[in-house]
Amino acid sequence: MTDHAPQFAATALPETAPPAASRVEHGPAPFAALDLGTNNCRLLMAAPTSSGFRVVDSFSRIVRLGEGLANTGRLAEPAMERAAAALRACADKLARRQVRRLEAVATEACRRAENGPAFLARITAETGLRLRVISAREEAELAMESCAPLLEAGDRRALLFDIGGGSTEIAWIRVPADGVPELIGYVSLPLGVVTLAERAGNSCFTEHGFFEVVDEVAAYLARFDQVHRIGQEIRAGGVRLMGTSGTVTTLAGVAMALPRYRRPLVDGKTLDCEAADLALGDLFALGREGLAAHPCVGPERVEFVLPGCAVYAAIRRVWPTPRLTVADRGLREGMLTRMIRAERGGRRRAR
């Protein structure tokens, strides 16, 4: 099992604004956060506000950078070209704005790939972008920061999970009554929606194949539970289950019967876990064609939804809780929060 950590960041809810057409802008220059993952390439640009930040531009594209990585240990040429094309688009967006600071990171695929360093060097040569490969622990801490505002009075602990493309991160968090959340423990499972989709293939569309994945993931989680006694803490009360990934946001969209996915309605929503479980059953029953046609899924994500649902089902099996808080936020929001906080801290020290 590879060590990986979830990331946490405290942020205000972003609002989306149309991209600027040129460098001529009103207001302060934005911060920018770029996240190259196993499945997606995402960019977020935001201007600081009194309560957090306001999003002024964004970009997201499925690139499947980790395609085939589990079998070969290397990034495949077509996957690298897809990611490079997305990163060129990000570089073009950044060139049209006066950005005050950029943080660009790469995660699981580039951590694991033998040719990851060479690929990132190529990206720097082609685009000028310098992506930093972050550790599992930093990834966990950034996710924690981004989701911290969703905690409420009465929460003693939080269990945060992020079902990614190449891995699944679990973070176990202490929530002091009068302080900032603290990461108690974390684990990264070498199982994500891309790796599971490649390995399990069509079997996740069958009941037998689906529950084979659930059993495998649950075995990993049970070992983490033995160390931290999370189930015991859940029974004592005051533990919030939080999920941030396409899997849980899709489950929320289905449970809420949204005619199309809308982030403002989903981010921060707390669902009864029974409703999320029913949504999982609905998705499984749709089959491949039904998933492709579903407004909260679509053809690009058909292969990944049920593997992600199997990971979620394993989490529910090992850690049954009555409610699930859904977060449509992650590393980019965490990076933006850190940059804004660092700048404000520097100003206070200067004064």
Side-chain angles (χ1 to χ4, degrees), residues 333-350:
E333 289 84 358
M335 288 188 282
L336 288 168
T337 298
R338 281 187 172 180
M339 285 187 276
I340 293 168
R341 187 169 58 229
E343 181 177 279
R344 287 172 176 166
R347 287 175 181 168
R348 284 194 295 269
R349 286 191 296 274

Side-chain angles (χ1 to χ4, degrees), residues 241-278:
L241 180 66
M242 308 172 75
T244 171
S245 69
T247 297
V248 289
T249 56
T250 298
L251 286 171
V254 174
M256 297 165 68
L258 297 180
R260 61 183 179 86
Y261 184 80
R262 294 185 60 197
R263 182 190 182 277
L265 297 180
V266 171
D267 183 48
K269 176 73 173 179
T270 297
L271 298 173
D272 288 337
C273 280
E274 288 186 3
D277 295 346
L278 288 172

Side-chain angles (χ1 to χ4, degrees), residues 96 120 138 178 199 223 227 314 332:
R96 292 198 297 268
L120 295 181
E138 184 175 357
D178 55 355
R199 194 189 70 190
R223 291 195 286 273
V227 174
R332 295 171 304 159

